[in-house]
Amino acid sequence: MCESRASTSTSLTKTSISSSRNSEKVGEMRLRIWHSIDQILPLVHYQPLYSNLMNSLNMQPQSASLTSLLQCLPIELENLAKPLMRIYFHSNQIRAFFRNICSQYVSSCHDVNTLFRSQSMTSKVLHEFMMFVGHPYLVLSLKPLIDLICVERKCCEIDPAKLKPGDSLEQNMRNLMVYAELAFSQVVGSRSRCPQVLREIFADLRDVVSQFYPRRIEVSRLALSSFLIMRFFAPAILNPKLFDRKRAPPDGDVQRTLILISKILQRLANCVVSTHPLTQKEEWLTPVLTRFSDDHHKSAMIEFLDSVSASGGELSPISKDAGFLKEGIMVERRSGPEKRRSIKNFIHQKRRYVMLTEKELTWQKVKESSGEMATKRAFPLDEITSVNVLTDAKNAFRVSTQTGEVHFQASSPAEMNEWMILIQKQQRRHIMVKNRPSGSDLVELVDIDIELELETIHCILMENRDTLVKWLAALNGDENTPRFPEELLKNLRTNEEHRLLMETLRKSIKQTLDSIDQIEGVHKIALNSHQTKNFQPQKDERPLTDNENYLLMRGERKRRKQFN
């Protein structure tokens, strides 16, 4: 890799219309430009390195493979995880690669509570893979919700210490619960949109964990949740700009709402996949967390985690009818222009059987004598425009459409809040469905430049060639070289296993050195073939090709290193 920097200063002038000669300097613009040049060879020249990477999948012991050696080099794991993930995905070996590194990691972790909490090659590779193939999935699942929150800009602050003058804690609590319910539904309802390749990797993750923790299904769910919820959905809600959900960062109120929703989703996931109750770090958040810790939300999250990681990628059936949401008896109060306070409002109580489905809100007359019901009216949810609290009666609220409205009175404040939250959630869900981008708009071609990724691995190995040479010398008994990485020598039970590992490591390092020396030799040959040329510009000289240009840049890099 070669990176160049350039700083340019440009004067801005204002030219008179009458005379192009008269110009007025109006300012100065200074540009700083970065550009990088990748020197890439044809694929055939990377074949030795590519073969070593593929052969490392079946190498025994696995700790002697090239991928294991790479993890011990003093480099940032992120710089290594991305090219390795793309190389193995391009070769249709991503599952075998992931199972290997996942098995190595889980075998070295002795505390379930810290499983996949630290930075490792496994966590980096799976995170890069989720973002690489799951970007359309993330957009379809979360963009409608985030857009709705940004447009409505409703206050959801429920921390008493942060409430502004005039804020209603009760109203803010309802707003937050509605948005949190929508976020929960968007996540657990996204199983059909989860790409097949992701479901296969999730199944491999749970299978590997189950091999080390048999008969403890909650541990495998914890592992999946730590990636899918903690590193995929929750961060995308918390920071939409980072995940390309929004171009500009949201303002303070909207950002606070996103923070609270992300926190609720993470707390719920932790509660579902572990035996520990929801943590009560913030007492003011307890009412919301209590709502999401019931059996309904827990079972929905468990069904989601199990379905997106089902063996073979098949989707498990939904356990109950998803169309029915809530039913109950409420009092219908007078509404509209004829509404007035009178004794009739108290004498003639209009008891209604109210039912909420995913499509409509209906209410029926209840005959006192027989208990029979007759449908009176229904509001399609996509026609509901608002749901508001009424101040002239206890536990009463209004549901409005463009053509009418209905007033209901619940039996308690908690019952009123529950009805309002569910109706508002479904009403906004219909808005989100209308504004949701179609799948055809989000089709992304997974294009991998395999030569570029192999060159990246080659550069990493070349920069650490001296380390590999010292490791090989240490394996050959040279006491003057640093010791070999201890993490590769763990879990050896017998002398025979130790001997076999030493022998395989020597072979693996030697093959790696041979492959990168061979690739570097091709680079030098291509460079030397152009060094004899005089590069002074000539009028009749043909323009340089892209290959010649990058070879020139590579030569400049080599010369700078020699002089430095």
Side-chain angles (χ1 to χ4, degrees):
M1 294 290 183
C2 176
E3 184 182 82
S4 299
R5 299 184 182 185
S7 180
T8 305
S9 178
T10 304
S11 296
L12 301 180
T13 59
K14 180 178 178 181
T15 304
S16 172
I17 299 178
S18 59
S19 175
S20 61
R21 294 183 179 180
N22 298 327
S23 61
E24 178 184 354
K25 186 174 181 180
V26 296
E28 187 176 82
M29 179 173 62
R30 188 175 297 274
L31 302 177
R32 175 170 288 181
I33 302 172
W34 288 265
H35 66 276
S36 61
I37 296 93
D38 300 316
Q39 298 96 33
I40 312 299
L41 294 171
L43 180 59
V44 64
H45 297 297
Y46 296 105
Q47 191 60 44
L49 178 58
Y50 181 81
S51 298
N52 285 344
L53 289 171
M54 295 302 110
N55 292 337
S56 67
L57 296 176
N58 301 316
M59 183 172 290
Q60 294 298 330
Q62 188 58 214
S63 57
S65 65
L66 175 55
T67 53
S68 297
L69 291 172
L70 282 167
Q71 296 180 58
C72 295
L73 293 175
I75 57 177
E76 292 290 336
L77 287 177
E78 184 176 355
N79 297 334
L80 182 61
K82 184 179 293 186
L84 283 178
M85 178 275 292
R86 296 189 177 191
I87 290 170
Y88 284 114
F89 184 53
H90 181 272
S91 61
N92 294 322
Q93 295 295 328
I94 184 63
R95 296 183 67 181
F97 169 60
F98 179 75
R99 290 184 71 94
N100 282 344
I101 60 176
C102 187
S103 296
Q104 286 181 288
Y105 173 79
V106 178
S107 64
S108 64
C109 184
H110 304 292
D111 186 359
V112 176
N113 297 321
T114 61
L115 191 64
F116 295 111
R117 296 297 179 92
S118 61
Q119 297 295 335
S120 65
M121 177 62 75
T122 304
S123 61
K124 288 292 185 181
V125 167
L126 185 49
H127 177 263
E128 291 292 341
F129 188 66
M130 287 191 299
M131 298 310 302
F132 187 61
V133 303
H135 186 264
Y137 171 43
L138 201 60
V139 173
L140 281 171
S141 301
L142 296 184
K143 189 176 187 301
L145 171 65
I146 295 174
D147 288 345
L148 180 70
I149 294 173
C150 293
V151 170
E152 292 187 339
R153 303 173 62 84
K154 292 193 173 184
C155 182
C156 297
E157 184 56 72
I158 60 174
D159 184 355
K162 296 182 179 180
L163 284 176
K164 299 177 182 178
D167 284 350
S168 170
L169 179 60
E170 183 181 0
Q171 181 61 49
N172 291 358
M173 183 78 71
R174 270 196 299 270
N175 293 340
L176 179 59
M177 287 185 176
V178 169
Y179 286 143
E181 284 280 6
L182 286 171
F184 178 82
S185 297
Q186 287 296 103
V187 171
V188 300
S190 69
R191 63 185 199 141
S192 62
R193 297 189 292 269
C194 184
Q196 177 69 23
V197 289
L198 270 184
R199 294 204 296 267
E200 292 172 351
I201 286 291
F202 294 153
D204 289 332
L205 171 66
R206 293 191 63 175
D207 183 55
V208 170
V209 173
S210 297
Q211 292 176 10
F212 289 89
Y213 298 94
R215 297 182 298 277
R216 294 191 62 182
I217 191 172
E218 75 279 0
V219 179
S220 66
R221 286 183 182 141
L222 173 65
L224 176 57
S225 174
S226 67
F227 288 104
L228 187 54
I229 303 300
M230 304 296 184
R231 292 181 172 95
F232 192 63
F233 282 115
I237 294 174
L238 182 63
N239 192 347
K241 185 176 184 296
L242 182 63
F243 288 79
D244 297 331
R245 304 283 65 76
K246 284 292 181 182
R247 292 184 179 181
D251 61 22
D253 291 338
V254 172
Q255 183 63 53
R256 177 61 176 169
T257 299
L258 297 177
I259 290 174
L260 293 174
I261 294 174
S262 178
K263 183 179 296 188
I264 293 169
L265 191 61
Q266 293 181 64
R267 297 279 185 87
L268 172 61
N270 279 332
C271 174
V272 166
V273 299
S274 67
T275 57
H276 303 290
L278 279 170
T279 56
Q280 306 294 337
K281 295 181 179 179
E282 300 97 349
E283 293 184 1
W284 47 267
L285 197 57
T286 300
V288 181
L289 296 178
T290 302
R291 174 186 178 84
F292 286 91
S293 61
D294 62 2
D295 292 338
H296 166 70
H297 289 88
K298 286 184 178 180
S299 61
M301 179 63 76
I302 288 174
E303 281 188 4
F304 168 66
L305 295 175
D306 290 346
S307 64
V308 296
S309 59
S311 179
E314 69 272 10
L315 294 177
S316 59
I318 299 178
S319 59
K320 59 182 179 180
D321 181 14
F324 177 79
L325 299 174
K326 186 173 176 61
E327 63 179 346
I329 300 294
M330 288 194 292
V331 174
E332 181 184 1
R333 305 178 72 251
R334 289 190 175 188
S335 61
E338 75 281 2
K339 177 185 176 183
R340 62 186 182 277
R341 286 184 175 273
S342 69
I343 191 65
K344 293 182 179 181
N345 286 333
F346 300 97
I347 296 177
H348 303 287
Q349 296 288 336
K350 300 177 181 179
R351 297 176 67 247
R352 302 289 186 239
Y353 172 76
V354 186
M355 184 170 63
L356 177 66
T357 69
E358 291 187 346
K359 293 183 178 180
E360 61 183 4
L361 175 70
T362 62
W363 56 102
Q364 303 173 351
K365 295 180 180 179
V366 182
K367 296 181 179 180
E368 299 292 342
S369 57
S370 62
E372 296 179 356
M373 301 181 187
T375 300
K376 182 186 179 188
R377 199 172 176 187
F379 280 171
L381 292 178
D382 57 357
E383 294 182 6
I384 294 177
T385 56
S386 64
V387 182
N388 305 108
V389 176
L390 294 174
T391 58
D392 60 349
K394 292 183 178 180
N395 311 327
F397 63 97
R398 174 177 55 234
V399 181
S400 304
T401 68
Q402 292 183 348
T403 58
E405 63 181 43
V406 62
H407 295 186
F408 288 119
Q409 187 169 18
S411 59
S412 66
E415 186 71 6
M416 181 195 70
N417 281 329
E418 183 67 16
W419 275 106
M420 291 184 66
I421 289 171
L422 289 178
I423 296 172
Q424 288 176 322
K425 171 189 171 183
Q426 296 304 316
Q427 178 251 345
R428 285 171 170 79
R429 187 178 65 84
H430 280 270
I431 296 175
M432 289 161 52
V433 170
K434 289 182 179 179
N435 298 329
R436 184 174 65 192
S438 64
S440 59
D441 296 334
L442 297 169
V443 174
E444 294 186 0
L445 298 177
V446 181
D447 187 17
I448 297 177
D449 188 343
I450 186 64
E451 292 92 346
L452 173 61
E453 307 303 339
L454 287 168
E455 175 64 26
T456 301
I457 298 297
H458 167 70
C459 289
I460 291 174
L461 290 170
M462 277 300 299
E463 291 172 358
N464 294 273
R465 188 182 185 282
D466 292 342
T467 300
L468 294 173
V469 171
K470 292 177 182 179
W471 286 354
L472 184 59
L475 291 172
N476 290 328
D478 188 348
E479 298 180 354
N480 297 323
T481 58
R483 297 185 63 183
F484 195 76
E486 294 292 338
E487 55 264 36
L488 296 179
L489 305 179
K490 292 181 178 180
N491 302 323
L492 297 178
R493 301 176 182 177
T494 64
N495 292 333
E496 179 61 23
E497 289 182 354
H498 187 273
R499 184 196 63 80
L500 179 61
L501 177 60
M502 294 297 102
E503 181 180 338
T504 310
L505 280 170
R506 291 189 193 96
K507 181 179 179 181
S508 181
I509 295 177
K510 189 176 184 307
Q511 288 177 343
T512 301
L513 290 172
D514 290 343
S515 64
I516 61 175
D517 288 344
Q518 184 175 339
I519 295 172
E520 193 66 15
V522 176
H523 277 299
K524 291 179 180 179
I525 292 173
L527 176 63
N528 291 334
S529 65
H530 294 81
Q531 282 183 338
T532 57
K533 283 189 175 183
N534 183 3
F535 292 104
Q536 295 297 327
Q538 301 292 334
K539 292 183 179 180
D540 57 346
E541 186 176 7
R542 63 176 176 81
L544 293 174
T545 64
D546 291 340
N547 288 337
E548 291 171 333
N549 276 326
Y550 101 64
L551 288 170
L552 285 174
M553 295 301 298
R554 187 178 181 85
E556 285 297 321
R557 185 186 68 170
K558 294 286 187 181
R559 283 191 286 273
R560 285 198 301 270
K561 285 186 175 181
Q562 291 175 358
F563 287 111
N564 291 337

